[in-house]
Amino acid sequence: MTSEKVRAEGRRVAETVGAGARIGEGGARIVDGLPEIVRDDEGAPLVIRTDYTDDAAWREVVAALERAVEGERDWEPAVHLVEDRRWEGVTEDAALTAAARDEELCVVFLADDVTMRSPLRPLLALDLGADDDQDLDPVYYQELVDSPPPRAVRVVPDAVHMVHGNLQLANVDFPEFVEDASADPDGVVRDVTAPSGGTGD
């Protein structure tokens, strides 16, 4: 399924109030138990908490995200945080389908069990455009068909804005961040311009 099809399916499901869909508090549509997310700022990165085993770890994640936009970077939009137990344990595919309802979004970040266990608090970044190559003609693009681009990578909190911004502006492709993570000793994406002293240092 291409990213456009994923987005279309997300919109179709979100707009259907019937089987598998209902209206929640405040008129928000709820599909398969996942409420529709409406960001206050379309430029804000979306971070969804999917693990609820460690509140202290979650507070560290939130604090690190807040520190990342202090000082000279306070012009950047605050992260849109989703802390709702209906998202607990959500799968990557379900998160991608739900996030695809937001047509302006190209990446979503999950605070999952790995985030809570690791001292680096790395978020799982999921690329909403990772399926773009599935409709390519194999006659001309067999290599891409056989080896689809990666759809997920771990990102430390202070790099969330950098990853989100570059993907939104199409300055960097998602696989480039995957390459950065593969070259990192901890297997994560970092923002080399961010001040030191963040989570896990």
Side-chain angles (χ1 to χ4, degrees), residues 158-182:
D158 65 13
V160 163
H161 279 83
M162 181 271 292
V163 171
H164 175 266
N166 277 289
L167 290 174
Q168 288 291 111
L169 296 173
N171 290 334
V172 180
D173 291 330
F174 196 87
E176 294 181 59
F177 287 121
V178 176
E179 291 180 9
D180 289 345
S182 66

Side-chain angles (χ1 to χ4, degrees), residues 83-147:
E83 189 174 5
D84 184 331
R85 281 188 175 273
R86 285 173 292 184
W87 290 88
E88 185 172 10
V90 70
T91 65
E92 293 181 20
D93 286 339
L96 283 168
T97 298
R101 303 170 200 165
D102 186 336
E103 297 181 3
E104 302 301 320
L105 198 64
C106 63
V107 62
V108 59
F109 302 88
L110 305 185
D112 60 4
D113 58 330
V114 175
T115 306
M116 304 307 174
R117 292 198 313 265
S118 170
L120 292 174
R121 307 291 179 228
L123 297 155
L124 181 64
L126 300 177
D127 181 18
L128 287 168
D131 298 321
D132 281 342
D133 296 328
Q134 291 191 5
D135 281 347
L136 294 177
D137 187 338
V139 173
Y140 302 102
Y141 301 100
Q142 188 63 51
E143 184 176 352
L144 283 175
V145 172
D146 292 339
S147 301

Side-chain angles (χ1 to χ4, degrees), residues 9-24 27-36 86 101:
E9 176 66 8
R11 290 194 299 271
R12 183 190 67 77
V13 173
E15 292 169 357
T16 301
V17 181
R22 61 188 175 84
I23 296 295
R29 290 180 173 84
I30 298 175
V31 182
D32 295 331
L34 299 179
E36 183 177 16
R86 285 173 292 184
R101 303 170 200 165

